[in-house]
Amino acid sequence: MKRRTFLIGLGGGLALAWWLKPGDRGAPHAPYFQTLNDLFRAQGPGRPVLLIDRQRLAANCRRLTALLPPGRDYRIVAKSLPSVPLIREVMALTGTRRVMVFHQPFITALAAAEPGCDLLLGKPMPVNAAARFYEELPADTGFDPDQQLQWLIDSEARLREYLTLARRLRRRLLVNIELDVGLHRGGLTEPAQLDALLTLIEAHPDRLGFSGFMGYDAHVGKLPAVVESREDSLRKSQAVYQGFIDRLYRLQPKYREQRLTFNGAGSPTVALHGDETPLNELAAGSALVKPTDFDLDTLADFEPAAFIAAPVLKAMDGLHLPGPLPLGDAWALWDPNRARTYFIYGGYWKAEPVSPAGIAANSLYGVSTNQMMYNGADSTALEVNDQIFFRPTQSEFVLLQFGDLAAVSDGTLQDWWPPLPQGEGA
């Protein structure tokens, strides 16, 4: 090879390497997170904390209620906001008493803590779980499940199980029927399937009462646009729902005069329902705290309101990896975002680092639920006892992992909100 050709090739390779070299993405905490950092550094419990920003929560509640079509009610999704004080806060901010529940211990806790609430199951519950609810419900709560609790039923077989339970308990159970409006996760698929369930309910008016429908439409907009547009997907979903309502009124015209629950939507689609929706109430929960899975165009105006604050246990210059080779030194030299190493208290949550900027886990070092490694640029400038902040990817599981939630507002720690109980063996 000629010397000139070699030098040209070498120069080109170095240019390419320089072009591929990562840029410095680091920065210290922005003012919002610096205020939170100062707060938890001074007043935090010295362990990872899940915090709720009450000001952002309130703003999101205002945004959500403004989205509701005229005459439609809002129902809080408890699994996404799994804390009685948090749910109470949302009740006060939105003016609703309606809650959707997905877990038997949550039903019991809410019935006892908020005896004036209206509860709708968000998934069909095994009949044993329903029986346990009645066994555990204190007699003096003031909550009347015969009037305030709707069990979700997805088949005639399950309805017969609940009828047997109602007979054994000498109670009248309210029955809400699950519809498959396109998600294909269960429920009635054809309006004609409604006939047998209504016949069974009408045959036992002392033990069963029909209360409405629930059809979750999270599939809307998830298909690639080249397969089906979001508008077409929503229109088809609403047409399926309306078909069940039409058949109900043909079979039992009396229900036209009753206030039934026609529930649906969810955080991904709540903003899509307008005046034409067949629903008379819309459910949502995650939108109010906005984990990363809900960074959707339909929720662009909503702000993240839930964060994990994790204390830095160890702060080091450089990147020191196990083994005989100086891989860490070479990596840190190549990537300025690996110039600092932080080991935090805990880790490996369903969450992504959000502050300081440029913080990233070290995949080569590995993950840990005890002391997880994160790297950042020199400009991140964290010290021991500072906090790294994370956004949960979802709320329903992550908010149950940290004990009491820290309720903050305007840079102050205002309260500790206990999560809902998971139940024995959960």
Side-chain angles (χ1 to χ4, degrees):
M1 178 183 294
K2 293 182 179 180
R3 183 173 179 272
R4 184 175 177 213
T5 303
F6 171 78
L7 291 175
I8 291 174
L10 178 61
L14 291 174
L16 177 62
W18 181 258
W19 183 75
L20 294 174
K21 180 178 170 61
D24 188 330
R25 298 187 298 273
H29 284 308
Y32 175 81
F33 287 106
Q34 185 60 51
T35 299
L36 292 173
N37 183 69
D38 295 342
L39 172 65
F40 284 97
R41 194 182 160 99
Q43 301 179 35
R47 57 172 173 77
V49 168
L50 195 298
L51 69 94
I52 302 294
D53 185 322
R54 296 179 70 182
Q55 290 173 300
R56 289 188 173 197
L57 177 71
N60 287 340
C61 286
R62 291 192 294 271
R63 294 179 179 106
L64 180 63
T65 53
L67 287 175
L68 298 177
R72 271 65 170 200
D73 296 313
Y74 167 56
R75 187 174 291 271
I76 302 167
V77 177
K79 70 178 176 64
S80 303
L81 307 167
S83 164
V84 167
L86 176 54
I87 291 171
R88 282 179 176 151
E89 184 106 336
V90 174
M91 283 180 170
L93 291 166
T94 61
T96 189
R97 306 294 294 175
R98 296 173 171 84
V99 184
M100 180 178 283
V101 282
F102 293 76
H103 188 40
Q104 180 267 314
F106 289 12
I107 310 172
T108 304
L110 282 166
E114 288 292 322
C117 66
D118 176 286
L119 299 182
L120 168 65
L121 269 293
K123 66 185 176 189
M125 198 68 62
V127 72
N128 287 354
R132 183 157 188 166
F133 163 77
Y134 290 105
E135 293 169 4
E136 294 181 353
L137 182 67
D140 57 351
T141 64
F143 180 83
D144 181 2
D146 294 3
Q147 300 293 326
Q148 296 171 248
L149 175 60
Q150 302 176 56
W151 297 102
L152 193 66
I153 298 297
D154 59 338
S155 67
E156 183 180 352
R158 196 182 303 275
L159 180 59
R160 290 190 180 278
E161 291 181 339
Y162 274 69
L163 175 57
T164 299
L165 176 64
R167 286 168 169 163
R168 177 163 65 83
L169 298 177
R170 299 175 183 265
R171 305 202 73 117
R172 185 173 186 267
L173 309 186
L174 293 180
V175 171
N176 189 293
I177 296 176
E178 183 179 20
L179 309 181
D180 180 358
V181 295
L183 184 60
H184 303 326
R185 196 172 65 179
L188 304 192
T189 58
E190 299 291 340
Q193 295 171 332
L194 185 61
D195 301 23
L197 276 70
L198 284 179
T199 298
L200 189 57
I201 293 169
E202 294 297 319
H204 302 278
D206 56 335
R207 295 291 172 242
L208 300 173
F210 176 72
S211 64
F213 296 130
M214 193 283 286
Y216 184 42
D217 61 8
H219 66 287
V220 171
K222 288 191 174 182
L223 288 173
V226 296
V227 177
E228 183 172 76
S229 69
R230 185 163 64 188
E231 292 73 19
D232 285 345
S233 184
L234 179 65
R235 178 179 50 78
K236 289 179 181 179
S237 173
Q238 292 182 343
V240 170
Y241 207 122
Q242 187 63 56
F244 279 94
I245 295 175
D246 293 343
R247 189 166 188 92
L248 169 71
Y249 289 159
R250 286 198 301 271
L251 293 171
Q252 295 290 340
K254 67 178 181 179
Y255 286 121
R256 291 182 180 273
E257 311 304 320
Q258 297 184 23
R259 171 65 179 183
L260 299 174
T261 297
F262 296 146
N263 177 276
S267 289
T269 60
V270 66
L272 302 177
H273 287 264
D275 292 345
E276 77 292 342
T277 182
L279 310 178
N280 60 19
E281 65 169 47
L282 286 76
S286 295
L288 300 183
V289 291
K290 200 179 182 182
T292 62
D293 285 353
F294 293 83
D295 285 342
L296 308 171
D297 66 318
T298 56
L299 300 176
D301 292 336
F302 288 70
E303 296 179 282
F307 300 97
I308 299 166
V312 173
L313 299 180
K314 302 160 188 175
M316 308 171 185
D317 289 325
L319 173 56
H320 309 287
L321 297 175
L325 299 177
L327 294 178
D329 293 340
W331 195 356
L333 183 63
W334 166 255
D335 185 354
N337 303 290
R338 303 288 175 176
R340 293 276 288 166
T341 294
Y342 304 113
F343 287 92
I344 66 168
Y345 191 141
Y348 202 33
W349 303 293
K350 284 182 174 291
E352 300 294 337
V354 66
S355 188
I359 290 287
N362 192 300
S363 58
L364 187 59
Y365 191 84
V367 297
S368 172
T369 57
N370 175 40
Q371 297 182 68
M372 189 154 168
M373 177 196 280
Y374 284 87
N375 299 134
D378 285 328
S379 54
T380 54
L382 295 177
E383 300 175 355
V384 171
N385 296 324
D386 281 330
Q387 312 286 309
I388 293 179
F389 294 93
F390 300 79
R391 276 184 69 194
T393 59
Q394 60 163 241
S395 58
E396 59 195 68
F397 175 68
V398 181
L399 267 64
L400 295 169
Q401 292 185 274
F402 296 87
D404 290 356
L405 310 178
V408 303
S409 182
D410 198 25
T412 63
L413 179 56
Q414 297 188 329
D415 205 351
W416 290 97
W417 292 346
L420 283 162
Q422 299 243 37
E424 298 174 7

